[in-house]
């Protein structure tokens, strides 16, 4: 195969092929008498491997390390691994399309929350929050809106393999009789701490109410804080008053004590 043919076969540009040659990721093939490069099936497999790794977000330096481990392996083994990579990507695409189909159905029915798109279980929780808020007098507590924003953020940034377990734990309130009403009473009381100091006498009681409202499953998932987690928590709490922030931090401490 010539460079244009292998590039078209793998789905990359000829410029990308030359760039991989320049970086040493793709060895230069044997040249024919007329000076044209002559690529083989193994070259195509290697080029496809490079493309797949880069599409998965692997940096070129890391690609080099992965390819070094592949050196000398049987062609069938490399092809089988490439096929497995494609299978995993196909499964991810299928899962994303299933989620997109649910979001599309909700959007067409006018049921997509303003914070969306979010996962189905968070959308269900937001729907339950809307229903509860509408049944209560007065405007929705400001803390409820903050909670929505945090849940939407977590729904986006938490790794996919952890998201469902975490969100199913958090959204238990929507399935517990009276759970949403208790949550909104908690939101109302948190609103009363807007502008209050961290040593406010109401902090400890409200922290215990918050901790007691959360299930044992969530307590078990909360480990001891590390610097990275503390930095993320600081970011989440940055818009709260000192007293509101103290309630959340104390509730987390109580959850850790419960899990020990």
């Amino acid at each position: 195969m010539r460079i244009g043919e292998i590039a078209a076969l793998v789905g990359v540009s000829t410029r990308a092929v030359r760039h991989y040659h320049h970086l040493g990721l793709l060895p230069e093939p044997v040249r024919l008498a007329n000076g044209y490069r002559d690529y083989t099936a193994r070259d195509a497999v290697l080029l496809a491997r490079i493309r797949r790794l880069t599409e998965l977000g692997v940096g070129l330096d890391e690609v080099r390390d992965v390819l070094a481990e592949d050196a000398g392996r049987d062609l069938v083994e490399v092809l089988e691994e490439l096929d497995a990579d494609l299978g995993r990507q196909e499964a991810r695409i299928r899962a994303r399309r299933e989620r997109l189909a649910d979001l599309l159905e909700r959007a067409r029915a006018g049921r997509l929350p303003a914070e969306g798109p979010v996962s189905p279980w968070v959308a269900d929780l937001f729907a339950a929050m809307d229903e509860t808020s509408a049944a209560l007098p007065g405007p929705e507590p400001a803390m409820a809106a903050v909670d929505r924003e945090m849940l939407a953020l977590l729904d986006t940034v938490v790794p996919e393999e952890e998201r469902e377990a975490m969100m199913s734990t958090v959204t238990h309130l929507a399935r517990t009789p009276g759970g949403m009403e208790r949550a909104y009473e908690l939101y109302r009381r948190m609103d009363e701490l807007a502008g209050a100091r961290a040593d406010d006498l109401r902090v400890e009681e409200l922290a215990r109410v918050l901790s007691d409202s959360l299930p044992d499953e969530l307590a078990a998932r909360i480990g001891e804080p590390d610097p990275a987690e503390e930095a993320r928590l600081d970011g989440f709490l940055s818009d709260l008053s000192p007293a509101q922030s103290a309630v959340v931090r104390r509730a987390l401490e109580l959850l850790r004590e419960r899990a020990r």
Side-chain angles (χ1 to χ4, degrees):
M1 287 181 287
R2 295 186 179 178
I3 189 169
E5 293 170 330
I6 191 174
L9 176 64
V10 177
V12 300
S13 66
T14 56
R15 181 177 180 180
V17 176
R18 293 189 180 94
H19 183 57
Y20 297 147
H21 284 319
H22 177 72
L23 295 177
L25 298 177
L26 184 65
E28 284 278 355
V30 174
R31 289 183 179 266
L32 300 175
N34 58 11
Y36 288 116
R37 296 180 178 93
D38 185 24
Y39 293 93
T40 65
R42 179 172 284 276
D43 294 321
V45 169
L46 180 55
L47 182 57
R49 183 84 164 119
I50 295 170
R51 177 192 167 185
R52 184 66 49 225
L53 290 168
T54 56
E55 286 178 345
L56 294 173
V58 180
L60 290 178
D61 287 340
E62 295 173 284
V63 169
R64 189 188 311 278
D65 294 338
V66 173
L67 296 180
E69 295 175 3
D70 283 347
R73 293 169 61 194
D74 182 77
L75 178 59
V76 172
E77 185 181 357
V78 175
L79 285 170
E80 287 174 344
E81 183 173 340
L82 179 59
D83 182 64
D85 284 344
L86 289 169
R88 286 189 289 270
Q89 185 177 23
E90 182 180 33
R92 284 193 295 270
I93 291 173
R94 187 182 304 111
R96 289 171 63 187
R97 290 200 67 190
E98 289 173 357
R99 182 180 176 190
L100 178 60
D102 179 80
L103 293 172
L104 186 58
E105 180 181 353
R106 290 172 184 269
R108 286 171 173 161
R111 294 184 290 109
L112 193 65
E115 296 83 0
V118 292
S119 59
W121 47 89
V122 175
D124 289 341
L125 175 61
F126 287 173
M129 291 176 71
D130 289 338
E131 183 178 349
T132 302
S133 179
L136 295 174
E140 184 174 56
M143 201 64 202
V146 172
D147 212 15
R148 288 174 187 267
E149 292 175 353
M150 288 188 177
L151 286 168
L153 176 61
L154 289 172
D155 192 38
T156 301
V157 302
V158 172
E160 186 173 354
E161 61 272 16
E162 300 177 19
R163 186 185 306 132
E164 184 170 359
M166 186 194 74
M167 289 302 177
S168 64
T169 302
V170 173
T171 57
H172 81 288
L173 285 173
R175 303 187 297 269
T176 303
M180 291 305 302
E181 288 75 15
R182 289 191 294 273
Y184 268 78
E185 174 61 15
L186 181 59
Y187 290 144
R188 184 190 64 76
R189 295 179 66 183
M190 286 287 282
D191 275 9
E192 292 175 352
L193 293 180
R197 293 170 35 168
D199 59 357
D200 190 287
L201 295 178
R202 294 168 290 180
V203 166
E204 181 67 20
E205 179 190 358
L206 203 50
R208 292 188 178 276
V209 172
L210 174 57
S211 173
D212 291 344
S213 71
L214 298 172
D216 292 338
E217 291 84 352
L218 183 58
R221 293 179 62 83
I222 297 178
E224 294 302 319
D226 59 33
E229 289 174 347
E230 283 293 329
R232 285 194 293 271
L233 182 60
D234 288 343
F236 286 143
L237 303 181
S238 60
D239 291 334
L240 303 186
S241 74
Q244 291 169 334
S245 177
V247 168
V248 176
R249 291 183 183 279
R250 177 59 178 149
L252 291 174
E253 290 177 1
L254 293 170
L255 282 172
R256 292 189 185 100
E257 291 174 8
R258 193 202 306 178
R260 292 189 185 112

